[in-house]
Amino acid sequence: MKSAHLLEQLETKLEELAQTIAPHANQRTAKARFDSQLFHCHGTRLADYLQEARQSMALLRQSVNGHRTERVAWMAERVVLQISALQRELATLKLRNSETRLEPEPENLYEKLAKHQDYERRLRAMVADRESQLAHQETLAQQRKLQQEIAALEGRLQRCLLALKKIERAIENRDRQ
């Protein structure tokens, strides 16, 4: 008798939750919101998670009818946790919706391009400066040190050139769209 009353209470909570979720049930989110241990589905709609909570409730009812005590306790806890998670999600829905509206402005690729072109110019000047210093060095240790600096600067220059190409491709792709 006691378990029947508890099942009724859980059913009532679940139906209240379903009514609250109804206006938002088919809204999609950018990614799954819940822990994979709590919900097996990876949908992006609250309706998907509500459906799984209902399935968990049905399994709980079967466990109670089958007098499987250890499973009843586990399933009851699972249903309560699923209901709580959905309630928390509903409570933060307005906040999450405002979060998505405050997406950062797309980066200005032309500014990024100009910045990297400036890096390239400065790196080339630094390489040229080290090479001219290298010609005037008398000791082997100083020459090695400058050669290492030149090698490091050339590596940075190559990475800068790759970044420049990537930015230019991004600009071309964006302009084509």
Side-chain angles (χ1 to χ4, degrees):
M1 189 60 149
K2 188 170 129 181
S3 54
H5 180 66
L6 292 173
L7 277 176
E8 260 183 58
Q9 285 182 323
L10 278 176
E11 283 282 349
T12 304
K13 277 281 188 206
L14 195 57
E15 287 313 308
E16 288 171 4
L17 182 63
Q19 290 173 2
T20 311
I21 286 177
H24 312 285
N26 292 315
Q27 283 181 342
R28 294 201 177 274
T29 58
K31 59 183 177 181
R33 295 274 190 219
F34 301 103
D35 187 286
S36 61
Q37 296 294 316
L38 185 58
F39 288 99
H40 296 294
C41 82
H42 301 288
T44 57
R45 300 174 321 135
L46 287 176
D48 300 332
Y49 295 100
L50 178 62
Q51 181 61 34
E52 185 171 335
R54 283 183 167 149
Q55 289 169 350
S56 296
M57 187 68 204
L59 288 173
L60 173 60
R61 197 171 279 287
Q62 286 175 0
S63 297
V64 167
N65 292 338
H67 304 292
R68 295 162 65 197
T69 327
E70 69 287 339
R71 183 146 170 94
V72 168
W74 184 82
M75 285 304 300
E77 182 181 3
R78 183 176 186 84
V79 169
V80 168
L81 289 172
Q82 287 177 337
I83 290 172
S84 298
L86 286 167
Q87 288 171 332
R88 280 192 308 278
E89 181 62 25
L90 279 173
T92 60
L93 200 58
K94 281 185 183 177
L95 178 64
R96 288 189 193 279
N97 286 341
S98 66
E99 238 177 43
T100 55
R101 275 184 248 124
L102 298 175
E103 292 176 8
E105 291 182 25
E107 61 185 333
N108 188 337
L109 291 175
Y110 290 103
E111 283 180 20
K112 196 172 181 180
L113 180 67
K115 198 182 295 185
H116 278 73
Q117 286 171 336
D118 185 48
Y119 294 154
E120 177 193 11
R121 181 190 53 75
R122 291 188 346 221
L123 285 167
R124 287 188 189 282
M126 291 167 74
V127 168
D129 180 51
R130 298 304 189 284
E131 286 175 344
S132 70
Q133 288 177 12
L134 182 61
H136 297 88
Q137 295 303 316
E138 297 176 2
T139 66
L140 188 60
Q142 290 173 332
Q143 287 176 348
R144 279 195 186 138
K145 182 180 178 222
L146 283 171
Q147 286 172 337
Q148 288 174 340
E149 285 181 32
I150 290 170
L153 287 169
E154 285 177 343
R156 288 176 59 192
L157 180 60
Q158 289 306 310
R159 289 190 299 277
C160 183
L161 292 172
L162 286 173
L164 273 169
K165 286 181 183 176
K166 188 176 177 181
I167 295 167
E168 288 169 350
R169 277 194 302 266
I171 289 172
E172 287 173 11
N173 289 338
R174 190 178 70 187
D175 288 347
R176 272 191 231 138
Q177 294 175 352

